[in-house]
């Protein structure tokens, strides 16, 4: 049964059925986070999604992503929500608290709405504004964007296959 569902998911991702994806990104460290969005869009195109299938949204920072994701998921217009952001230790507060709140919030959104949320919200232990870290995360977000696209397309396809399974009636 599992093998059949996986095969159905793969074939459903290449059908002409409309699939809408919301991409929400924070604007803190925009030059870095934009790399995730651009790589995500390029990979989704390669996977057969049209530009019109993806709506991009921006929020101030990562802390604002979960509420935006929840409202988009509840709208019924999207098959998945993808979140991208960079939570760094700015020396003023403990970034671990923000990172935990964002990631927990994203998990809560998908469990409450049954709309998958794919996270590319990164929370490095150490981030400095010098060129070496800027360049590393600039390149790393390209990788994360492509990974998020593959995870998104795979998840949407598999969930569509699962929803096509016959439901058992409660006894």
């Amino acid at each position: 049964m599992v093998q059949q569902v996986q095969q159905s998911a793969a074939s459903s991702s290449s059908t002409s059925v409309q699939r809408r994806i919301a991409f929400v990104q924070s604007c803190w460290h925009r030059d870095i986070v934009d790399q995730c969005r651009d790589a995500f869009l390029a990979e989704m195109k390669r996977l057969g999604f049209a530009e019109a299938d993806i709506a991009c949204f921006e929020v101030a920072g990562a802390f604002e992503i979960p509420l935006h994701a929840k409202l988009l998921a509840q709208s019924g217009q999207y098959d998945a929500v993808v979140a991208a952001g960079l939570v760094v230790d700015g020396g003023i507060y403990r970034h671990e608290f923000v990172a935990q709140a964002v990631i927990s919030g994203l998990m809560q959104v998908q469990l409450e709405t049954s709309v998958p949320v794919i996270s590319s919200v990164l929370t490095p232990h150490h981030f400095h504004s010098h060129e070496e870290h800027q360049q590393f995360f600039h390149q790393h977000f390209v990788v994360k964007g492509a990974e998020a696209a593959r995870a998104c397309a795979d998840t949407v396809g598999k969930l569509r296959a699962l929803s096509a399974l016959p439901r058992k009636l409660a006894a």
Side-chain angles (χ1 to χ4, degrees):
M1 177 64 88
V2 171
Q3 189 175 23
Q4 290 173 339
V5 170
Q6 288 175 345
Q7 288 171 346
S8 296
S11 64
S12 71
S13 67
S14 62
T15 66
S16 62
V17 174
Q18 181 70 21
R19 303 158 295 177
R20 296 272 300 148
I21 309 299
F23 187 94
V24 183
Q25 77 174 79
S26 67
C27 290
W28 285 96
H29 299 283
R30 170 179 279 186
D31 57 322
I32 294 173
V33 180
D34 279 353
Q35 302 309 305
C36 183
R37 183 202 59 224
D38 294 347
F40 176 84
L41 293 172
E43 185 68 8
M44 290 298 279
K45 182 178 181 180
R46 192 187 73 71
L47 293 169
F49 284 75
E51 189 175 317
D53 293 337
I54 303 164
C56 295
F57 302 88
E58 293 181 343
V59 295
F63 199 72
E64 291 77 22
I65 294 173
L67 177 59
H68 217 80
K70 184 174 183 175
L71 294 173
L72 290 165
Q74 288 175 333
S75 76
Q77 296 181 36
Y78 300 99
D79 294 303
V81 177
V82 179
L86 181 62
V87 180
V88 300
D89 184 355
I92 297 171
Y93 59 85
R94 301 285 303 247
H95 74 287
E96 296 94 356
F97 298 129
V98 174
Q100 180 64 37
V102 172
I103 299 304
S104 293
L106 294 175
M107 179 58 75
Q108 185 176 348
V109 166
Q110 73 176 353
L111 293 175
E112 288 178 4
T113 64
S114 296
V115 174
V117 177
I118 310 299
S119 177
S120 286
V121 176
L122 301 186
T123 59
H125 286 290
H126 302 288
F127 176 83
H128 304 285
S129 296
H130 56 74
E131 182 63 29
E132 184 179 341
H133 272 206
Q134 293 280 340
Q135 192 60 30
F136 172 80
F137 285 101
H138 199 269
Q139 294 171 354
H140 191 58
F141 265 85
V142 172
V143 172
K144 297 311 286 181
E147 289 175 350
R150 290 188 295 273
C152 181
D154 182 64
T155 301
V156 167
K158 287 178 179 170
L159 288 178
R160 284 191 177 211
L162 285 174
S163 69
L165 291 175
R167 306 237 184 240
K168 290 187 179 185
L169 298 175

